[in-house]
Amino acid sequence: MLYLWIKALHIVSVVCWFAGLFYLPRLFVYHAQSQDQISQERFITMERKLYRGIMNPAMIATYVFGAWMLYLSPGWLSQGWLHAKLTLVLVLTGYHHICGAQRKRFAAGNNTRSHVYYRWFNEVPVLLLLAIVILVVVKPF
């Protein structure tokens, strides 16, 4: 029963983390398009609160509950699909930190990229989510 509670909390954490990973780059799109100081300050505040208040805690919770599940089911570590999934989670973590660095560039007024770049950048977590879910559900290897 404990395992199921941990699994549920892991899934909730993943959903919250992905919500932030989908929304922050979308904020970057609008921020890159904004012209007035009031809008830019509003986006800086929204981006900071989303990243620090939701995304970071959700990422940490995802890791904690995922590690806890692995501790309770160490046999999974011998399965190839899990290695692929964990590799993609590391890539996702890198994307998360790239988002954080970009958030700081916006806050410092140093953004050099267009809204079109961020529209494409926003698609990366969609592809990672698709691959991770397929690996976990289908377990192809």
Side-chain angles (χ1 to χ4, degrees):
M1 188 65 163
L2 174 64
Y3 179 82
L4 294 176
W5 279 101
I6 296 166
K7 186 176 183 179
L9 292 171
H10 178 68
I11 292 169
V12 169
S13 300
V14 169
V15 168
C16 292
W17 188 20
F18 268 99
L21 289 168
F22 291 150
Y23 189 48
L24 185 60
R26 180 54 51 183
L27 288 176
F28 292 161
V29 170
Y30 302 138
H31 194 162
Q33 290 177 314
S34 67
Q35 301 295 322
D36 62 289
Q37 188 64 29
I38 293 172
S39 294
Q40 294 197 6
E41 289 174 9
R42 183 177 299 124
F43 284 118
I44 289 169
T45 300
M46 291 171 68
E47 291 158 359
R48 184 188 77 247
K49 288 182 176 183
L50 176 62
Y51 188 78
R52 294 171 74 190
I54 296 172
M55 292 172 65
N56 280 342
M59 180 185 68
I60 291 166
T62 296
Y63 268 90
V64 167
F65 293 122
W68 198 350
M69 285 193 305
L70 283 176
Y71 174 76
L72 294 175
S73 299
W76 284 4
L77 290 171
S78 65
Q79 298 181 19
W81 67 268
L82 182 66
H83 290 258
K85 177 206 171 193
L86 293 176
T87 299
L88 292 178
V89 170
L90 288 176
V91 171
L92 190 66
T93 302
Y95 180 85
H96 174 102
H97 290 296
I98 290 168
C99 285
Q102 187 56 50
R103 182 196 67 78
K104 289 180 181 178
R105 280 192 284 280
F106 269 115
N110 295 329
N111 176 53
T112 59
R113 300 179 194 254
S114 74
H115 67 94
V116 175
Y117 170 83
Y118 294 112
R119 289 181 194 280
W120 285 103
F121 182 73
N122 193 39
E123 300 307 318
V124 172
V126 173
L127 299 173
L128 290 170
L129 176 63
L130 180 66
I132 289 168
V133 168
I134 288 171
L135 285 168
V136 171
V137 173
V138 177
K139 296 177 178 62
F141 48 90

